[in-house]
Amino acid sequence: MNQTAFQRASSAYGSAKQTLPPHKLVEALQDRALQLCTSAERHATAGQFDRFHADIVHAIRIYTGLQVVMTNQVGGPSGKALSQLYGAFILALGRAAGGRDVPGRVRRIQERLALHRRLWAKPPKN
């Protein structure tokens, strides 16, 4: 990722962090990525691949920003693990248009993203 993309992601995270706690900010970004996947699946089913592409690219940008923040601002083992997970999500989203049954591929990716989102929302056990 180039320096400008890092600066944009860090700036966006810093701005949003002023209005939302970091945990809720990540939830909101994950929710938006899930909405984009739903929209991408709908567009792929309808054969509207320009709109499908725009939705997937937007979702990738969300996870790229989260990955940058986890790597450079959160750090430590947790930040590294989340950064790697978000990297896997980015790859999966980028590969969504490859092969057959694009809507089905997007749906499977969305299921993984939704599972992560549900796990993220659960409070840790003490």
Side-chain angles (χ1 to χ4, degrees), residues 63-97:
Y63 280 107
T64 300
L66 286 170
Q67 185 181 38
V68 167
V69 167
M70 294 304 156
T71 300
N72 297 300
Q73 292 186 8
V74 174
S78 297
K80 182 178 179 180
L82 285 168
S83 177
Q84 290 173 342
L85 178 64
Y86 294 148
F89 290 164
I90 291 164
L91 286 175
L93 287 164
R95 293 178 178 161

Side-chain angles (χ1 to χ4, degrees), residues 3 6 10-11 13 24 26 33 35 41 43 46 49 62 66-67 72 78 90 102 105 107 114 116 126:
Q3 185 62 22
F6 168 73
S10 295
S11 176
Y13 180 80
K24 292 294 182 184
V26 172
Q35 291 169 351
E41 180 184 352
H43 292 312
F49 286 98
I62 288 171
L66 286 170
Q67 185 181 38
N72 297 300
S78 297
I90 291 164
V102 173
R105 291 170 69 97
R107 191 174 323 105
H116 176 70
N126 292 329

Side-chain angles (χ1 to χ4, degrees), residues 46-59:
Q48 299 169 330
F49 286 98
D50 55 334
R51 291 182 178 183
F52 162 83
H53 179 262
D55 290 338
I56 292 295
V57 167
H58 193 163

Side-chain angles (χ1 to χ4, degrees), residues 23-24 27 30-31 114-124:
H23 188 82
K24 292 294 182 184
E27 285 180 4
Q30 290 173 344
D31 288 343
L115 173 62
H116 176 70
R117 170 62 179 87
R118 287 189 305 272
L119 292 173
W120 183 269
K122 288 185 178 182

